Amino acid sequence: MDDNRVIIFDTTLRDGEQSPGISLNTAEKLEIAHQLARLGVDVIEAGFPISSPGDFEAVQAIAREVHGPVVAGLARAHAADIERAADAVRDAARPRIHTFISTSDIHIRHQLQSTREDVLGQARAAVAHAKSFLDDVEFSPMDATRADAEFTAEVLTAAIEEGATTINIPDTVGYTMPDEYAAFLGRLYDLVPGLRKVVLSVHCHDDLGLAVANSFAGVKAGARQVECAINGIGERAGNASLEELVMLLHTRHADLGYETGIQTREIARTSRLVSRLTGYPVQPNKAVVGRNAFAHESGIHQDGVLKDRSTYEIMDAASVGVDDASSIVLGKHSGRHALRSALEELGITVSGQALNTAFRRFKEIADKKKQVTAMDLEALVTDELRAEMAGYTLEWFDVEASSRRPPHATVAVRTPAGELVQGNFTGDGPVDAIFRAINAATRREARLREFRVDAVTGGQDALGEASVILEIAGQSAAGQGVSTDIIEAAAHAYVRALSNAERKVAVAAEEAERPERELTPTP
Ligand code: KIV
Ligand code: ZN
């Protein structure tokens, strides 16, 4: 590979999915993985297969169905984890096992309650075990930036001797600073003779807002793989944002010379898809993908941009695909064929029953809205994906709202067992009434944690996209719904969040039955 080629390792589906409230099902993970392949990422870290049967199934499905990128499964430095990861990625054209163990004394003492000697032995054994299944093995010394460089180097030397092909240096707690991180990597190059013969990778968290800066410092220090996530999602403050890092390398290519395989025009669409399916909004002023990233508010700026865009724009909005969404416009007279070609233009292939369902939803919306845009179609298609999930479904609802009486809602919900149940409630507002009526119908004591409604596009007839995070028995989960009626969107979002939370409660109950040594905390 070219010396300046930077491998983009996407961990949206693993570290990103560890963000609180995110619970993607296999179909949603597959949809994201297909889009990541279209985006041109080199590696998809598809999940942590031992963590749950659902994670295993999703990693396996991605390994089987998503072509192009390497598909990686995460594993602690335990034989059982590695075997499960190997099993999950086995059918990928290019499978990878990513195994890790902490090298910082803080983690070794307090979390692992172990010794450096043991950690060294476990790291060596883990890489050797992973190598017995496949060739492409990545090793990470977790919390490396707070660890002793000499000890970390000893562990890395062992991992390379056993055949690790990528060495990743995580800033697990987002503590390091760019110069310090670059110096740490330089020190490891000095101490680990084999490090120049493998791919050096960086994995930075954003606790101090330095994830992209640290990753970039890592690249300048010699790293040729960057681990990052769409919209920067991930544990706590998140991971380095893929779109920011990639657009930095792309925009300053003349000065830096680094290359990636990313199709930058797919960035905006990927960001929207991830935001929609995870329920994590993108802040308006977020670099590259925020809705204001290419908006000019001040008169002086607007004047400059009208005269010449280069006055206040360092990147072309079209280069990240922001304009692509405006090229498709359908109306109520558009037929099935037009819908199918518009979806294909968006990279979404539908046929048979899926096309019939998409067409029915499209007609419903087109009757209420003058123009159906690419953004609406994306929202509808992802909404259909959610509707396919097993769980509760909203059959119908009535809400009476008035400024003179408290609002009252009645709902009918189909349970996962197929039973139709009804409930009603008089609440503080129409949305409160419908959420509590759903609780009454399903006999669940779910507590609402967050509720948001966004307009998918501008205009009075815009589709509303509701997002709910709720909690049952200590498990929180998100759900989303799309409709021209925001109460309906909210109700769909609530029943989906309820279904996701129940699934998590069931998994937690199963985990509680397992012996303690088998429990799998996320890294
Ligand atoms: O942040 C971290 O250390 C990780 C490792 C598993 C690579 O996510
Ligand atoms: Zn991480």
Side-chain angles (χ1 to χ4, degrees):
M1 204 181 256
D2 175 346
D3 279 354
N4 282 338
R5 173 69 157 78
V6 177
I7 296 167
I8 300 296
F9 175 115
D10 180 276
T11 188
T12 307
L13 295 173
R14 199 280 297 167
D15 213 320
E17 221 244 349
Q18 284 169 219
S19 313
I22 296 184
S23 43
L24 298 167
N25 62 31
T26 298
E28 292 168 329
K29 287 184 184 172
L30 261 173
E31 187 69 20
I32 292 177
H34 279 298
Q35 180 56 29
L36 291 172
R38 245 176 257 133
L39 177 65
V41 307
D42 300 288
V43 185
I44 295 176
E45 187 165 51
F48 184 22
I50 198 151
S51 66
S52 70
D55 233 54
F56 178 88
E57 180 194 292
V59 176
Q60 188 173 56
I62 291 168
R64 288 179 176 167
E65 294 176 38
V66 178
H67 307 297
V70 169
V71 177
L74 186 69
R76 290 169 302 179
H78 295 174
D81 281 43
I82 289 164
E83 286 153 22
R84 198 80 176 130
D87 229 13
V89 297
R90 190 179 36 209
D91 295 333
R94 292 187 297 148
R96 174 181 295 186
I97 296 174
H98 175 192
T99 184
F100 70 97
I101 188 163
S102 297
T103 55
S104 74
D105 288 329
I106 302 178
H107 280 208
I108 294 174
R109 232 179 268 139
H110 301 296
Q111 187 178 14
L112 302 177
Q113 298 180 340
S114 181
T115 59
R116 285 187 177 190
E117 199 186 352
D118 254 17
V119 163
L120 177 60
Q122 268 183 271
R124 184 182 283 285
V127 175
H129 197 42
K131 274 307 254 201
S132 71
F133 295 101
L134 43 97
D135 233 28
D136 187 348
V137 173
E138 171 169 337
F139 174 77
S140 294
M142 197 178 191
D143 202 22
T145 53
R146 292 192 300 167
D148 176 52
E150 277 71 18
F151 174 62
T152 302
E154 223 182 303
V155 173
L156 298 186
T157 305
I160 293 170
E161 278 168 7
E162 296 304 328
T165 42
T166 298
I167 293 289
N168 176 48
I169 308 298
D171 181 31
T172 303
V173 290
Y175 179 70
T176 199
M177 299 177 284
D179 290 352
E180 185 185 51
Y181 192 45
F184 186 66
L185 298 181
R187 180 106 183 92
L188 293 177
Y189 270 131
D190 292 342
L191 293 170
V192 183
L195 197 52
R196 290 192 189 277
K197 298 203 179 74
V198 298
V199 175
L200 180 65
S201 167
V202 288
H203 175 114
C204 299
H205 279 268
D206 208 30
D207 300 64
L208 294 172
L210 289 173
V212 171
N214 285 334
S215 304
F216 179 53
V219 171
K220 289 207 288 182
R224 287 296 176 267
Q225 175 176 286
V226 178
E227 303 199 352
C228 43
I230 300 295
N231 299 337
I233 61 172
E235 191 75 39
R236 303 181 313 281
N239 287 85
S241 137
L242 180 147
E243 57 281 1
E244 291 176 22
L245 189 277
V246 165
M247 288 316 288
L248 166 61
L249 302 189
H250 188 86
T251 306
R252 302 302 305 271
H253 182 264
D255 304 292
L256 301 167
Y258 300 119
E259 310 281 346
T260 73
I262 296 294
Q263 302 296 321
T264 61
R265 289 188 77 101
E266 292 292 331
I267 284 179
R269 182 175 304 157
T270 316
S271 163
R272 288 196 297 270
L273 179 70
V274 169
S275 170
R276 183 161 283 136
L277 289 178
T278 57
Y280 266 51
V282 174
Q283 77 196 54
N285 59 328
K286 163 92 170 56
V288 183
V289 290
R291 76 168 173 269
N292 296 345
F294 296 95
H296 301 278
E297 179 69 15
S298 99
I300 296 176
H301 287 214
Q302 286 175 353
D303 176 58
V305 168
L306 286 173
K307 287 174 177 148
D308 191 308
R309 300 203 79 82
S310 67
T311 49
Y312 291 97
E313 277 184 8
I314 57 162
M315 301 170 255
D316 181 0
S319 70
V320 296
V322 164
D323 280 358
D324 289 2
S326 57
S327 61
I328 296 170
V329 180
L330 301 177
K332 67 176 178 187
H333 300 299
S334 309
R336 218 172 274 262
H337 184 70
L339 176 67
R340 182 154 53 182
S341 356
L343 290 171
E344 271 166 13
E345 218 176 294
L346 293 172
I348 303 163
T349 313
V350 282
S351 55
Q353 192 47 40
L355 179 61
N356 291 342
T357 313
F359 191 62
R360 181 181 50 73
R361 289 283 315 263
F362 161 70
K363 280 289 180 191
E364 281 166 16
I365 303 288
D367 273 345
K368 297 180 185 155
K369 261 181 126 261
K370 270 204 246 34
Q371 295 187 324
V372 179
T373 65
M375 307 268 260
D376 295 321
L377 292 179
E378 283 175 13
L380 283 186
V381 169
T382 39
D383 201 51
E384 276 310 311
L385 259 182
R386 297 173 192 129
E388 281 169 16
M389 279 164 48
Y392 296 105
T393 46
L394 178 75
E395 290 288 325
W396 54 259
F397 69 92
D398 282 326
V399 181
E400 294 153 24
S402 154
S403 58
R404 293 181 300 164
R405 285 185 304 281
H408 184 78
T410 308
V411 299
V413 174
R414 179 91 44 203
T415 67
E419 193 191 348
L420 193 64
V421 291
Q422 287 191 25
N424 58 74
F425 201 86
T426 302
D428 293 334
V431 172
D432 179 55
I434 205 162
F435 288 174
R436 288 173 188 247
I438 293 168
N439 276 1
T442 57
R443 296 172 194 274
R444 293 291 175 272
E445 279 306 314
R447 291 156 73 93
L448 183 66
R449 289 284 174 233
E450 267 182 55
F451 170 58
R452 220 184 54 243
V453 182
D454 295 307
V456 171
T457 51
Q460 276 196 334
D461 59 357
L463 280 179
E465 183 158 40
S467 194
V468 162
I469 298 183
L470 54 69
E471 191 183 309
I472 317 179
Q475 299 295 325
S476 68
Q480 294 81 31
V482 171
S483 171
T484 46
D485 173 343
I486 58 167
I487 306 250
E488 185 177 1
H492 280 300
Y494 196 86
V495 290
R496 287 168 187 166
L498 195 64
S499 311
N500 289 337
E502 287 226 324
R503 256 189 293 278
K504 284 178 121 179
V505 170
V507 170
E510 258 176 49
E511 290 273 307
E513 298 287 299
R514 283 161 65 182
E516 205 188 333
R517 72 190 147 72
E518 286 181 16
L519 292 182
T520 315
T522 45

